[in-house]
Amino acid sequence: QVQLVESGGGLVQAGGSLRVSCRASGRTFSRYAMGWFRQAPGKEREFVAGISWSGESTYYADSVKGRFTISRDNAKNTVYLQMNSLKPEDTAVYSCAADGAFKIRPTRVYEYDYWGQGTQVTVSS
């Protein structure tokens, strides 16, 4: 069982930066691949970025590639999403998720086993 808690959301102007964090409980965090998803009002939850259990492999949605960076610190049981050059269309609730089944580059909602509650990111124009 893994419990995930996000933090770091807020309001930022377009072109600005923000880093959101996700801290996991439990001693087996390093065994989980992690992902970030987002959901804007009236839209479906969408994949943003993913990272392997070791941190060696990262992958991104095309919409954020080159602007967002996912990373993790297994010693701190934490995964991060650094967001640069933010756009108003990045406004959403950002949630982290954990996959405990060693899937290869999971990007679908149903591929993840545990979810955080989410943190709001609002980008003003």
Side-chain angles (χ1 to χ4, degrees), residues 77-99:
N77 280 14
T78 302
V79 62
Y80 306 95
L81 184 68
Q82 176 68 43
M83 302 180 288
N84 299 328
S85 302
L86 282 161
K87 305 174 181 179
E89 52 263 43
D90 294 318
T91 295
V93 174
Y94 284 71
S95 300
C96 64
D99 161 42

Side-chain angles (χ1 to χ4, degrees), residues 28-35 50-54 59 72 97-106 112-114:
T28 59
F29 173 73
S30 61
R31 296 174 58 186
Y32 291 87
M34 299 295 296
I51 188 167
S52 62
W53 64 270
S54 66
Y59 48 104
R72 67 190 296 162
D99 161 42
F102 300 101
K103 302 181 187 69
I104 298 175
R105 296 198 162 202
Y112 286 84
D113 304 303
Y114 304 102

Side-chain angles (χ1 to χ4, degrees), residues 38-46 91-93:
R38 67 186 182 187
Q39 187 167 21
K43 294 188 176 181
E44 292 187 353
R45 184 175 290 182
E46 64 173 357
T91 295
V93 174

